[in-house]
């Protein structure tokens, strides 16, 4: 037991954090596009609450995803953007390792590995995540086009 309680933040996808009634029904690129549209058109009260500085009303440290979502929803704050903001100052980030391994995902979240200590839980799944991050799909039409050139 220790009295040390590091400032911690859980990062995840919109699929886990979105509380907007219509946007949260979607996944992947469709959800990202709908989120952007709702923000651009000021149709997301949770993002508006976040931008107005309401995020100071919620402390995400030491909370899990479900607790963060509940606390933010009660205060009309977007949990997705709140956690990304808090991550900038956090001492401890809890991140799915496929986000950490993929450089594009890591950069989009603003996570730096410089001077970081990494601990991988469930390490037996890392190989699959590395494989997916370094892979791409090559269709027969792509090969046919290359041959034609």
């Amino acid at each position: 037991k220790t009295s040390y309680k590091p400032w911690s933040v859980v990062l995840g996808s919109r699929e886990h954090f979105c509380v907007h009634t219509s946007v949260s029904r979607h996944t992947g690129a469709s959800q990202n596009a709908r989120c952007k549209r709702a923000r651009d058109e000021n149709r997301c009260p949770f993002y508006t609450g976040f931008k107005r500085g309401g995020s100071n009303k919620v402390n995400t440290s030491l909370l899990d995803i479900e607790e963060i979502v509940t606390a933010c929803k009660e205060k009309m704050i977007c949990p997705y953007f709140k956690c990304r903001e808090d991550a900038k100052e956090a001492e401890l980030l809890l991140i799915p390792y496929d986000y950490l391994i993929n450089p594009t995902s890591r950069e989009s979240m603003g996570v730096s590995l410089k001077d970081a200590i990494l601990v991988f839980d469930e390490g037996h799944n890392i190989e699959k995540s590395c494989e997916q991050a370094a892979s791409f799909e090559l269709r027969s039409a792509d090969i046919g086009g290359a041959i034609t050139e």
Side-chain angles (χ1 to χ4, degrees), residues 5-26:
K5 304 263 190 274
W7 177 254
S8 67
V9 177
V10 177
L11 290 180
S13 68
R14 279 185 179 88
E15 292 177 33
H16 293 103
F17 282 111
C18 183
V19 292
H20 188 281
T21 310
S22 62
V23 174
S24 63
R25 287 186 243 157
H26 300 274

Side-chain angles (χ1 to χ4, degrees), residues 36-57:
K36 182 171 180 0
R37 187 176 318 126
R39 287 181 284 129
D40 290 348
E41 297 173 359
N42 292 316
R43 291 186 295 108
C44 182
F46 303 99
Y47 183 73
T48 301
F50 166 76
K51 290 306 281 181
R52 287 191 179 146
S55 63
N56 295 332
K57 299 176 186 175

Side-chain angles (χ1 to χ4, degrees), residues 22-144:
S22 62
V23 174
S24 63
R25 287 186 243 157
H26 300 274
T27 60
S30 173
Q31 185 181 48
N32 292 343
R34 290 169 191 272
C35 175
K36 182 171 180 0
R37 187 176 318 126
R39 287 181 284 129
D40 290 348
E41 297 173 359
N42 292 316
R43 291 186 295 108
C44 182
F46 303 99
Y47 183 73
T48 301
F50 166 76
K51 290 306 281 181
R52 287 191 179 146
S55 63
N56 295 332
K57 299 176 186 175
V58 178
N59 181 354
T60 59
S61 187
L62 302 175
L63 299 180
D64 64 25
I65 290 176
E66 292 80 12
E67 293 168 327
I68 292 169
V69 167
T70 299
C72 286
K73 193 172 184 178
E74 287 173 0
K75 301 290 185 184
M76 297 298 290
I77 305 298
C78 175
Y80 178 79
F81 286 101
K82 168 65 174 154
C83 287
R84 274 162 176 60
E85 176 183 81
D86 289 353
K88 295 173 188 172
E89 304 299 322
E91 298 171 280
L92 176 64
L93 292 178
L94 303 168
I95 304 173
Y97 53 75
D98 47 329
Y99 293 175
L100 194 59
I101 290 168
N102 186 321
T104 305
S105 298
R106 188 175 60 246
E107 289 167 13
S108 76
M109 291 187 296
V111 174
S112 171
L113 298 181
K114 185 176 182 341
D115 298 325
I117 297 171
L118 304 178
V119 178
F120 290 94
D121 188 22
E122 299 286 328
H124 60 275
N125 294 319
I126 291 176
E127 184 178 357
K128 183 178 179 188
S129 289
C130 291
E131 206 173 273
Q132 289 173 340
S135 298
F136 62 93
E137 186 175 313
L138 187 60
R139 299 172 296 144
S140 57
D142 299 326
I143 294 171

